[in-house]
Amino acid sequence: MTATLAPAPRKPKAAKRFRAFWRRWWHQLTAMRTALVLLLALALAAIPGSTFPQRSISTVDVAGYFDEHPDLAPWLDRLWAFDVYTSPWFSAIYLLLMISLAGCIVPRLGVHWKALRAKVPDAPKRMSILPYHRVLDVDANQGRARAVLKQRRWRTAVTEHEDGTFVIAAEKGYLRETGNLLFHTSIIFVLAGVAVGSLMSWYGNRILSEDKSYCNNLQQYDEYGLGAWVDETSLPRFCVTLDAFDAEFTDGGPTAYDAAVTYETAGETGKYDLQVNHPLNIDGTNVFLIGHGYTAVVTYTDRYGQTQTLHQEFLAMDAALNSEGAFKFPDANVDPETGTVDANAEVGFDAILVPTFDDSTAMLLGTDPELNNPVLALTAYTGDLGLGDGEPESVYSVNEEQIASGALTRLNEEVEVIGVGDAMTLPDGTTLTFDGVEQYAVLQVRHDPGGPVVLAGAVLLLLGLLPGLAVRRRRYWIRWNPDGTVETAGLNRNDFDGLDEECDELTAAIAPDYEPPGTHTDKSGSEQ
C-alpha cells in the first residue's frame, strides 16, 4: 500500500496580497527619493511655526492674536497653527522621515559590513578590457608589490591559480561609503535630538537685580517656554541670589559681564562666579548670563506725606543702554485716617533712563552705556491706571488704552529730566524723587536633553562629510602569467580624474625600472 502525502496548505490570497502591498510600500518609504520629499515636506510644514505665534514660546502673543483675529484664530487653533511642532500632522511627517532614513541606512550598513569583510575580487580573465591596462616589459617582484600596497593601505588578496597564474588584487576607498553612512546617520541623530528637545526641554528668563533672589518656578519667570512633555512639577527646585554684578565697557560697548551668585538646592548651597558662556549647572539645568541692564530707584511722596519706594527694572532700547520703563503707584493718595481710596487719583510715570546724559547738547539719549551721569526723562499721568481689570499689561509702560480713553490725564506737557537726588513736583504738590540706579542681570535657565544628541549628530556629519567628498573607491590588480608576462590594471568605482596617474605611480613603485607611457629617460637620467 502506497502512502500519499497531503498537499501543503496554501496561504490565503488575502495574506499574500497584504504582504505584497506592505513590501511594495516599504520599498517606497525607504527609498532615498522619499526621504528627500519628506525632508522638503518637513521644511514646508515648519513655515506656520514661524508665521503664527506659538504657545510653547509665548502664550501672551497667542492671546493677542486671538484678540486681533477673533474669527480666524479659533479655526487656526483647530489646525494646531499655534502648536505646530507638537501637532499630529507635523509629528507624522517627522516620524515618517526618521523611519525612511533608518530603513534606507540599516540595510546599507549590513551590505557595507559584509563588503569590508569580503575578499577583494580576483582579476578578470581579460584584463585588457579594463580602463587602465599595462603589460610590463620589466621585472616586478611579488614580495615588493605586496609590501608597497600594504604600506599605502590597500586591502589585498593573493590568489594562485592551478595554471601557475599569480594575482595580487588590491582595493581602496571603502572610507567613502563609511562617510556616506555616517553622514546619513547624522541626520537621524539631529532629528532625534531636535525631537527630544522639543518634547522635554524648557527654559525661563528672569531679570534679577542686585541683592534680589528668585526660585525656579514658573510664577517667578518673566518669560518661559515648556516642552510638550514638561509641566511645572518637572522643574528642579533651587533658588538663586544675585549678590553683585559688574559690567566692563570699552569704547562705548560691553566687554565683560561678571555676576556673583549664591544658589541653594535641597542638598547644597554654594557660590558661583557667573559669566557669559560659563553657565552654572544645577541638577542638569544650566543658568546662563545673557545680558544686563539698569534698575531705577525712586520714591513717591503723595499728598498725605506717605512715601513709596520702587526698584523698577528698565529695558534697553539700544546699545548705549538708553532704557525705557514705568513707575506705577495704584495705592497712592489713600487717606490714612479714613482709608478712603480715590480710584481716579492713581499715579503713573512713563520714563526713559539715560545712563550718561550730556547736558551740553540738545540730545536726550546718550551714547555711553556706563553710569557717568544718569537721568530720568519723565511723563506723569493721573487717573485710573487700569490695573484692576485683570488684563495682562506691560510693566515697562503706562497703559496706552487708558490714556487714549481719557481714563488717565497727562500732567506735564513737556518731558521733565531729573538727575540722581532731584525730584519732580506734580501740580498737586506730590513728588517723585530719583534716588539712584542699580544694575541687574538677565538670566536664562535652560534644560535641553536633546542638545548632546544634536551635538553628536553634528560631529558625525563632519566626520562623514569629509571622506564622503574626498575619498574615491578604486581597484588595482597585478597578474603574473605563466608565460612570464606581467600585467597591471585598474578600475575606478567612482568617477574622478587621476586613476591612470595613480596606477602608473603604483606600478613604478612596484617595478622601479617601469616608465609610464608618454615618457622616456635619456642617458643623463632626466625625464623628457
Side-chain angles (χ1 to χ4, degrees):
M1 185 174 181
T2 304
T4 58
L5 297 176
R10 303 179 66 181
K11 293 183 179 180
K13 291 183 178 180
K16 289 184 177 180
R17 287 197 296 267
F18 177 77
R19 290 182 60 188
F21 173 83
W22 170 252
R23 188 181 299 110
R24 182 171 64 254
W25 281 103
W26 176 253
H27 289 322
Q28 290 289 335
L29 179 61
T30 56
M32 186 54 66
R33 61 178 177 273
T34 303
L36 293 175
V37 171
L38 289 171
L39 190 61
L40 175 62
L42 188 70
L44 295 176
I47 293 177
S50 59
T51 304
F52 302 106
Q54 299 297 295
R55 286 193 176 91
S56 60
I57 299 177
S58 176
T59 56
V60 175
D61 291 342
V62 174
Y65 192 91
F66 270 81
D67 292 338
E68 295 177 5
H69 308 85
D71 297 328
L72 178 61
W75 288 99
L76 292 174
D77 199 21
R78 293 187 181 96
L79 298 174
W80 294 278
F82 307 111
D83 301 281
V84 169
Y85 304 112
T86 56
S87 65
W89 47 270
F90 189 88
S91 301
I93 298 174
Y94 210 94
L95 184 60
L96 285 174
L97 177 58
M98 295 188 65
I99 294 174
S100 178
L101 288 171
C104 177
I105 292 172
V106 172
R108 288 178 60 186
L109 287 172
V111 172
H112 185 53
W113 176 250
K114 291 180 180 178
L116 289 174
R117 302 180 63 187
K119 182 181 178 181
V120 182
D122 195 4
K125 291 183 178 180
R126 295 177 56 197
M127 294 179 64
S128 59
I129 65 174
L130 295 175
Y132 170 89
H133 178 252
R134 301 286 188 268
V135 179
L136 306 185
D137 55 1
V138 295
D139 292 333
N141 183 272
Q142 297 176 3
R144 181 183 178 85
R146 297 181 64 178
V148 168
L149 291 171
K150 183 178 181 180
Q151 182 183 10
R152 302 192 180 196
R153 299 181 181 178
W154 287 73
R155 294 177 64 241
T156 59
V158 177
T159 305
E160 296 186 41
H161 296 272
E162 296 180 356
D163 60 357
T165 304
F166 185 88
V167 178
I168 298 179
E171 189 170 19
K172 195 174 186 180
Y174 275 96
L175 196 59
R176 176 185 177 88
E177 179 63 10
T178 303
N180 287 332
L181 291 173
L182 286 177
F183 177 80
H184 290 91
T185 304
S186 70
I187 299 178
I188 296 181
F189 271 76
V190 172
L191 290 174
V194 172
V196 171
S198 175
L199 296 173
M200 303 177 64
S201 66
W202 60 270
Y203 79 93
N205 293 338
R206 169 72 189 215
I207 293 178
L208 191 62
S209 299
E210 290 178 307
D211 298 325
K212 301 296 182 180
S213 302
Y214 87 98
C215 294
N216 187 35
N217 59 70
L218 299 184
Q219 288 74 21
Q220 297 198 33
Y221 282 116
D222 301 311
E223 182 184 12
Y224 65 86
L226 302 178
W229 292 356
V230 180
D231 56 26
E232 187 173 1
T233 61
S234 306
L235 275 60
R237 301 303 175 190
F238 62 84
C239 298
V240 175
T241 301
L242 180 61
D243 299 323
F245 183 85
D246 180 55
E248 296 181 6
F249 300 90
T250 302
D251 297 330
T255 56
Y257 295 152
D258 194 337
V261 299
T262 300
Y263 62 93
E264 299 179 12
T265 64
E268 182 182 6
T269 300
K271 294 183 178 294
Y272 190 81
D273 186 17
L274 191 62
Q275 300 178 14
V276 178
N277 297 327
H278 291 82
L280 167 64
N281 185 275
I282 304 175
D283 295 334
T285 300
N286 289 320
V287 181
F288 294 91
L289 175 60
I290 62 174
H292 100 295
Y294 293 120
T295 299
V297 183
V298 298
T299 299
Y300 177 70
T301 304
D302 66 14
R303 66 186 65 165
Y304 298 102
Q306 300 180 101
T307 61
Q308 299 181 46
T309 300
L310 284 183
H311 296 251
Q312 178 62 48
E313 294 87 1
F314 276 59
L315 292 181
M317 299 185 296
D318 52 34
L321 295 184
N322 295 295
S323 308
E324 61 181 350
F327 307 108
K328 301 178 184 180
F329 301 94
D331 300 325
N333 301 312
V334 177
D335 190 336
E337 295 182 358
T338 64
T340 304
V341 179
D342 187 354
N344 293 319
E346 298 175 353
V347 180
F349 299 83
D350 268 332
I352 295 178
L353 172 63
V354 181
T356 301
F357 177 64
D358 186 359
D359 53 10
S360 64
T361 68
M363 299 295 294
L364 172 64
L365 300 183
T367 58
D368 190 347
E370 290 193 81
L371 289 173
N372 294 324
N373 182 27
V375 300
L376 283 175
L378 299 168
T379 302
Y381 298 90
T382 187
D384 183 6
L385 293 174
L387 300 180
D389 55 9
E391 294 292 330
E393 67 173 70
S394 173
V395 298
Y396 302 105
S397 64
V398 176
N399 194 320
E400 294 182 359
E401 294 183 358
Q402 294 294 100
I403 298 174
S405 66
L408 285 174
T409 302
R410 181 168 175 169
L411 298 179
N412 54 317
E413 295 184 359
E414 296 184 358
V415 174
E416 185 166 342
V417 178
I418 61 175
V420 176
D422 298 334
M424 177 182 181
T425 302
L426 303 184
D428 60 356
T430 61
T431 61
L432 182 76
T433 304
F434 185 14
D435 298 327
V437 181
E438 300 172 346
Q439 297 191 93
Y440 68 74
V442 182
L443 305 182
Q444 183 176 87
V445 184
R446 178 174 292 275
H447 175 69
D448 186 4
V453 183
V454 174
L455 177 60
V459 172
L460 286 179
L461 187 145
L462 293 176
L463 292 177
L465 188 62
L466 296 178
L469 295 175
V471 176
R472 299 293 181 265
R473 190 174 171 187
R474 60 270 194 202
R475 289 174 180 168
Y476 178 74
W477 294 274
I478 310 173
R479 183 165 67 190
W480 286 263
N481 296 312
D483 59 3
T485 59
V486 180
E487 295 180 87
T488 64
L491 177 63
N492 186 8
R493 300 299 302 274
N494 305 103
D495 293 333
F496 81 104
D497 297 329
L499 177 65
D500 288 0
E501 290 79 1
E502 184 178 20
C503 291
D504 279 331
E505 182 184 353
L506 276 175
T507 305
I510 293 168
D513 295 331
Y514 170 75
E515 295 183 10
T519 64
H520 70 275
T521 306
D522 61 14
K523 294 181 180 181
S524 64
S526 61
E527 188 178 89
Q528 303 293 323

